[in-house]
Amino acid sequence: MPHEGKIRRQSSHDAPICKQAARYAAKGPGVSLSVLVLGIETSCDETAASVVSRDANGHGEILSNVILSQFDDHAAFGGVVPEIAARAHVEALDHVVQAAMDEAGVGFADLDAIAATAGPGLIGGVIVGLTTAKALALASGKPLVAVNHLEGHALTARLTDGIAFPYLLLLVSGGHTQILLVRGVGQYERWGTTIDDALGEAFDKTAKLLGLPYPGGPAVERAAARGNPDRFALPRPMFGRPGADFSFSGLKTALRIEAEAIAPLSESDVDDLCAAFQRTVTLVVRDRIGHALDRFRSEFPDLAEPTLVVAGGVAANKALRAGLDAELSARGFRLVAPPLVLCTDNGAMIAWAGAERLALGLLDDLAAPARPRWPLDQLAAPMLGSGHKGAKA
Ligand code: KG4
Ligand code: ZN
């Protein structure tokens, strides 16, 4: 639980408290200030930086949001190569930060803090971003906020839509598939997660298996739009089970067996397989989220407008969105989906999470570690065998 208005350090090292940190602490519990924060994101294959402001009432504004995708660097390999990613972050980050500062029209002296993703993610990239943020914080005498990447996703809807706590978050990307209860800044409960592959990973693997280009999600969606979803009957992992956990690796195997049985595949075979896959995952996600919505209702029966926020690249999928819409309106929930550029990895979500933490006096010192694994819900048991991207699961 965060302590409002107090400086909380996430490492035991006794670094001197900078002036700004003392200023926030001196304001006392519950008092927020207007803040301006630079955010840096390097945990996967986007090099990103952004300047965001948050006023004393909690309203946010994005002054700049610069994202350099390493898409071309990895396309030939059909996935993100960690060493290439880390090197590309080193080459690009100074320029991306400068561009974000220039676009915002601010100097380092104007900032109240520098925030960076400190995990979870590909450790080489995380180290590049966090070390750069530490160097900038040291050189400019500003406080550092070491942000959990998942918290960045979790809080984005407060920046874009100003929504109040508590709400439910469905995070579906290449690295994460989670349903989280968001009670407050730093207060999360994991209600569901994948026990194997992330949903985006399942889209990507399906695409690869069927000879479609990387990243697989958009390619599978395009093929699915042309296909017949009834031709293949695929299993629906976890469907109808209690709780809100996911599993996608068995579905991938079932699809492979169907594909091998009719190989060589024609274009319409590929379209039909994609249509079956997409419909199956949509049904599964609807079922899983339905359980979480029911639980949310029973835990917060008096909320006037219960809300589900979706984030992550897979949230771009129109069939999935339509399925979610139907499930939510049937249960009287509101769906909030930040614009896609803020749903996928970006610097603004890190700057915003930094601003929310700073407003509560939650700062870090220069010994803050880079963490390949960093669950938001520290009490949730790790899932066995949670995929090669399990670090983010
Ligand atoms: O959030 P994101 O940009 O990066 C991280 O993984 O952190 O998500 C990328 C994932 C990829 O797996 C990609 O295939 C998937 O999102 N994706 C989609 C769609 N667009 C992107 N999956 C299904 N349908 C889409 N239209
Ligand atoms: Zn992400």
Side-chain angles (χ1 to χ4, degrees):
M1 288 268 287
H3 305 286
E4 290 202 340
K6 276 196 204 152
I7 298 167
R8 201 177 63 154
R9 292 169 175 274
Q10 292 182 329
S11 79
S12 55
H13 291 252
D14 205 16
I17 301 171
C18 64
K19 279 191 198 128
Q20 281 84 352
R23 187 174 137 231
Y24 292 106
K27 283 282 167 186
V31 178
S32 293
L33 295 174
S34 179
V35 295
L36 190 67
V37 176
L38 166 70
I40 294 174
E41 158 59 35
T42 54
S43 68
C44 193
D45 57 347
E46 266 95 23
T47 313
S50 162
V51 178
V52 164
S53 68
R54 182 186 185 279
D55 71 19
N57 298 318
H59 298 131
E61 191 186 343
I62 300 173
L63 278 70
S64 65
N65 191 21
V66 179
I67 304 171
L68 188 74
S69 176
Q70 301 176 4
F71 175 77
D72 293 342
D73 298 330
H74 303 286
F77 302 94
V80 178
V81 184
E83 289 76 13
I84 294 177
R87 198 166 306 177
H89 288 308
V90 171
E91 282 168 14
L93 187 56
D94 288 358
H95 307 288
V96 169
V97 167
Q98 194 56 55
M101 296 294 286
D102 291 348
E103 213 172 282
V106 300
F108 285 98
D110 302 318
L111 297 174
D112 292 291
I114 296 167
T117 299
L122 299 174
I123 193 65
V126 173
I127 289 171
V128 173
L130 184 60
T131 307
T132 302
K134 287 177 180 178
L136 291 172
L138 191 63
S140 58
K142 304 291 176 182
L144 173 78
V145 188
V147 172
N148 184 312
H149 178 89
L150 300 168
E151 180 161 61
H153 282 301
L155 298 178
T156 298
R158 286 169 54 76
L159 166 65
T160 56
D161 294 76
I163 67 171
F165 300 122
Y167 54 90
L168 266 184
L169 174 77
L170 171 66
L171 178 56
V172 276
S173 71
H176 345 275
T177 301
Q178 299 199 351
I179 298 174
L180 286 166
L181 169 66
V182 183
R183 282 186 190 276
V185 175
Q187 299 175 31
Y188 308 94
E189 279 175 35
R190 196 190 70 198
W191 283 6
T193 189
T194 180
I195 61 167
D196 40 55
D197 293 347
L199 183 51
E201 192 179 357
F203 269 94
D204 293 338
K205 285 178 175 173
T206 296
K208 200 167 182 177
L209 177 83
L210 299 176
L212 297 172
Y214 166 86
V220 169
E221 181 169 17
R222 278 193 300 277
R226 298 184 295 260
N228 167 15
D230 297 323
R231 179 167 157 208
F232 299 99
L234 296 173
R236 296 175 188 169
M238 308 299 264
F239 192 95
R241 294 244 201 121
D245 286 332
F246 299 86
S247 165
F248 295 109
S249 86
L251 176 60
K252 176 191 65 194
T253 307
L255 188 125
R256 180 169 52 75
I257 291 167
E258 293 284 2
E260 281 170 0
I262 56 165
L265 300 178
S266 70
E267 241 177 67
S268 71
D269 292 335
V270 170
D271 294 348
D272 293 346
L273 283 163
C274 287
F277 171 82
Q278 185 173 274
R279 187 169 71 179
T280 304
V281 298
T282 300
L283 287 170
V284 168
V285 171
R286 278 186 70 161
D287 173 72
R288 308 283 72 208
I289 206 71
H291 286 211
L293 298 181
D294 288 346
R295 181 172 168 191
F296 188 87
R297 263 263 188 248
S298 66
E299 291 204 11
F300 304 99
D302 302 326
L303 275 190
E305 202 169 31
T307 302
L308 174 82
V309 174
V310 285
V314 187
N317 188 284
K318 291 189 197 66
L320 186 74
R321 277 271 183 103
L324 281 173
D325 261 334
E327 199 62 36
L328 268 86
S329 48
R331 287 180 153 83
F333 271 71
R334 174 173 67 135
L335 180 67
V336 171
L340 195 62
V341 68
L342 297 175
C343 266
T344 55
D345 292 351
N346 64 84
M349 71 185 205
I350 303 305
W352 174 253
E356 293 244 66
R357 295 188 77 80
L358 178 64
L360 295 172
L362 300 170
L363 299 173
D364 297 272
D365 63 35
L366 295 181
R371 309 178 189 205
R373 286 179 179 271
W374 187 4
L376 266 187
D377 178 350
Q378 307 279 350
L379 300 177
M383 279 292 175
L384 269 184
S386 54
H388 76 271
K389 291 187 176 173
K392 284 181 165 188

